[in-house]
Amino acid sequence: MPLDSGATIGPFTLAYQTYGTLNADRSNAILVCHALTGDQFVCEPHPVTGKPGWWSMLIGPGLPIDTDRYFIICANVLGGCMGTTGPAETDPETGRPFGLTFPVITIGDMVRAQMLLVDHLGIDQLFCVIGGSMGGMQVLQLASAYPDRVFAALPIATAARHSAQNIAFHEVGRQAIMADPDWHGGDYAARDIRPTRGLSVARMAAHITYLSETALHRKFGRNLQDRQRLGFSFDADFQVESYLRHQGMTFVDRFDANSYLYITRAMDYFDLAAEHGGVLADAFRPGGKPTPVRFCLVSFTSDWLFPTAESRAIVHGLNTVAANVSFVEIASDKGHDAFLLDEPEFHRVMRGFLEGLAEHRGLGQRLVASR
Amino acid sequence: MPLDSGATIGPFTLAYQTYGTLNADRSNAILVCHALTGDQFVCEPHPVTGKPGWWSMLIGPGLPIDTDRYFIICANVLGGCMGTTGPAETDPETGRPFGLTFPVITIGDMVRAQMLLVDHLGIDQLFCVIGGSMGGMQVLQLASAYPDRVFAALPIATAARHSAQNIAFHEVGRQAIMADPDWHGGDYAARDIRPTRGLSVARMAAHITYLSETALHRKFGRNLQDRQRLGFSFDADFQVESYLRHQGMTFVDRFDANSYLYITRAMDYFDLAAEHGGVLADAFRPGGKPTPVRFCLVSFTSDWLFPTAESRAIVHGLNTVAANVSFVEIASDKGHDAFLLDEPEFHRVMRGFLEGLAEHRGLGQRLVASR
């Protein structure tokens, strides 16, 4: 497969999960795209952590993304570390882990790989493509590059380009990883060691950006671990410190440091307008005509990583070409993470949008009648 | 000197600079308190970097903090690394660098040390105490603990307590330092090595919080280093990456990693209300009476590290005791760093406040008539 960098990759593995049943005319497939540290285990326990899938609240029988009605596909992104070919996998040419010899990939490459899977499954047109954060970038990319291959698109808490601040936070994480002597220029796997300290710091820094100040305050405030008094040491005095350290430590058990470098890089490189002469609207004007894809955008009021203004910019681009678009800003104080949390209004919006589409496409009945 | 932790410290050195001339009745002294990574070289070239002092724009002959009129004192904080006793200094008892045997200090301890200097200079009452960010915390602490020793207080871009998000960012920085194998449990100085990689990552993460998203966007946007194309590598493709790396690399030349741990800890521990039964107003009600100190608070609209709401909370506490307080929120898109930058309205506010006070105190004329 050709890559945006000019390199090629292949053969490669794309690890994916499906839920529900593909109907006879293959018209009920929903592609779910995961975020930076997500994976294909979207609504089943994670094989490493044993925790529920990251959208278990949203995907399942009778849930907004109803597995009795739709056929859900979720693939680990190219460059990932949950089975899809990425820097931690063995390079068949050398018999050694790729490490930094893995090519730098883009959101476009991730989507191209997923479309090979969609082809492989014999699906001409996806019913919908859905994703939040980096998943939303893939949604935008797919809808822009393959307007005839998807009926509707649901980009959530995302942006058409990574901002300077977002790039800056990613760069801090990458520097933390690369500063870890156990990183060994990316060649740690061959040495049977992992840069866990650097990756943990990267995760801690990123995790702060996923939460709002309000959420952190409500959750922890200045509460102490030992409620009696300050420790006057560098142990975790405050609950928020202990929480962050835990986030960092558990993350390294399930994620590869080089994958983190590659995937953050792909996000930084994402700039949908740049591929269209700097005019975002042109990303949604294939062959000079308005995109046929139906869009529903969702943002959250307290998300400062992918603020509402970024969604508005996309809506503006879609409006410019008179595309079919709806946009909902959900009032939430949970920050960027809101798209992964129990936000009833968000879930209602998703259910409503999909039900409307399903009616339009004649997917009005649940495929499994008895449950 | 007793410390808030219960430990004691001494003898210790407090390194300071003064500018201007103390008048005959010692009534024109302004104590300037520096921020986390600041120092006493407030309006003269930095001895290590050679760069202008961090408030050169604000302090000097004819400037808002007029050295022809006022006597300026600025001391390196306790725990610092520019001459004042801190973890990098030699413990006289062991003949080795303190490292982590240095006691954990608080903003209260920093202020207590500075008051010894004020005593030493024979100054009964400071004309004013001024500082931004952590400097503002010292201002609040001093005004609260020594209401009769200071005529007026100017806390800028600060808070009466460090928030959960602020603690979280500091913890990331500390973990980055402590994850560096060259840190050696704080005992790196004895090994003639320094945890520069960890300290550099800490500085990078912190630096993002000093700028607004708007400032980062205006300054860098998604501009590339090589304007032609993406590099498809992990080199600094974007200007914002290169800038951050530079911030990290130059910082380690002038700052001690252990000092960074101690000073961030002091900020995290700061909670003025907690010292007064959780009632902030009581911090400004010495002996049950309204504080005699005149306050002027300044915040900046785009400061998300110490947002205006934090200053408002202080104003609210001061209003509760009917203190003499004015408050100005300056419209600026430069983020927290605005207090260090060329912000004409901020400089006008400072000049106006000080001139009003000076008139009130009979400091109406400039001490140096001819210039």
Side-chain angles (χ1 to χ4, degrees), chain A residues 104 161-164 171 174-175 181 213 221-222 232-235 237 241 245 261 265 268-269 271, chain B residues 5 104 161-164 171 174-175 181 213 221-222 232-235 237 241 245 261 265 268-269 271:
Chain A
V104 168
R161 57 124 181 81
H162 224 213
S163 74
E171 175 65 4
R174 286 190 294 261
Q175 290 294 322
E213 203 279 333
R222 294 181 48 86
F232 290 99
S233 78
F234 296 105
D235 294 340
D237 260 328
E241 294 176 298
R245 290 186 190 185
L261 300 181
R265 204 52 168 162
D268 291 352
Y269 277 13
D271 186 350
Chain B
S5 65
V104 168
R161 59 126 182 79
H162 224 214
S163 75
E171 175 64 2
R174 285 190 295 262
Q175 290 294 322
E213 203 279 332
R222 293 180 49 83
F232 290 98
S233 79
F234 296 105
D235 294 338
D237 259 329
E241 295 177 297
R245 290 185 189 185
L261 300 181
R265 203 53 166 161
D268 290 352
Y269 276 14
D271 187 351

Side-chain angles (χ1 to χ4, degrees), chain A residues 57-120:
Chain A
M57 250 182 281
L58 214 48
I59 303 180
L63 293 178
I65 304 177
D66 190 345
T67 49
D68 287 346
R69 196 169 192 173
Y70 312 116
F71 176 63
I72 320 296
I73 311 159
C74 187
N76 188 211
V77 295
L78 193 63
C81 50
M82 286 301 287
T84 291
T85 302
E89 298 289 318
T90 301
D91 181 350
E93 285 189 20
T94 64
R96 301 180 75 244
F98 280 103
L100 286 209
T101 68
F102 195 78
V104 168
I105 45 141
T106 65
I107 299 292
D109 296 329
M110 291 177 183
V111 166
R112 206 169 292 126
Q114 289 176 91
M115 289 311 285
L116 292 177
L117 170 63
V118 172
D119 290 344
H120 168 77

Side-chain angles (χ1 to χ4, degrees), chain A residues 49-263:
Chain A
T49 66
K51 288 187 181 168
W54 51 274
W55 257 0
S56 288
M57 250 182 281
L58 214 48
I59 303 180
L63 293 178
I65 304 177
D66 190 345
T67 49
D68 287 346
R69 196 169 192 173
Y70 312 116
F71 176 63
I72 320 296
I73 311 159
C74 187
N76 188 211
V77 295
L78 193 63
C81 50
M82 286 301 287
T84 291
T85 302
E89 298 289 318
T90 301
D91 181 350
E93 285 189 20
T94 64
R96 301 180 75 244
F98 280 103
L100 286 209
T101 68
F102 195 78
V104 168
I105 45 141
T106 65
I107 299 292
D109 296 329
M110 291 177 183
V111 166
R112 206 169 292 126
Q114 289 176 91
M115 289 311 285
L116 292 177
L117 170 63
V118 172
D119 290 344
H120 168 77
L121 295 171
I123 296 164
D124 282 338
Q125 190 186 47
L126 293 163
F127 172 59
C128 191
V129 55
I130 305 180
S133 196
M134 186 184 81
M137 290 177 169
Q138 293 167 68
V139 170
L140 293 169
Q141 178 72 31
L142 194 155
S144 173
Y146 304 92
D148 299 324
R149 301 291 306 272
V150 60
F151 182 64
L154 229 166
I156 301 152
T158 194
R161 57 124 181 81
H162 224 213
S163 74
Q165 192 182 61
N166 291 0
I167 295 171
F169 276 117
H170 274 177
E171 175 65 4
V172 167
R174 286 190 294 261
Q175 290 294 322
I177 289 167
M178 298 195 282
D180 188 331
D182 291 342
W183 181 62
H184 288 291
D187 201 27
Y188 50 86
R191 292 168 168 82
D192 203 24
I193 201 168
R194 294 186 315 136
T196 53
R197 287 165 301 183
L199 181 59
S200 175
V201 169
R203 175 62 166 181
M204 288 174 66
H207 199 80
I208 303 173
T209 70
Y210 302 152
L211 306 176
S212 67
E213 203 279 333
T214 311
L216 273 169
H217 182 71
R218 188 184 49 234
K219 216 166 177 172
F220 305 109
R222 294 181 48 86
N223 295 340
L224 299 173
Q225 283 289 96
D226 171 353
R227 286 179 178 273
Q228 305 307 306
R229 61 187 296 274
L230 295 170
F232 290 99
S233 78
F234 296 105
D235 294 340
D237 260 328
F238 297 98
Q239 288 175 12
V240 67
E241 294 176 298
S242 171
Y243 169 79
L244 271 188
R245 290 186 190 185
H246 177 78
Q247 292 296 326
M249 282 189 297
T250 55
F251 181 61
V252 303
D253 292 335
R254 69 172 180 90
F255 217 85
D256 175 60
N258 282 339
S259 265
Y260 196 85
L261 300 181
Y262 278 90
I263 301 176

Side-chain angles (χ1 to χ4, degrees), chain A residues 23 25-29 70 124-128 148-152 294 354-365:
Chain A
N23 63 8
D25 56 0
R26 298 168 186 260
S27 64
N28 69 334
Y70 312 116
D124 282 338
Q125 190 186 47
L126 293 163
F127 172 59
C128 191
D148 299 324
R149 301 291 306 272
V150 60
F151 182 64
R294 284 146 178 82
L354 289 176
E355 279 180 358
L357 293 174
E359 202 166 319
H360 189 92
R361 293 290 277 180
L363 300 175
Q365 292 129 26

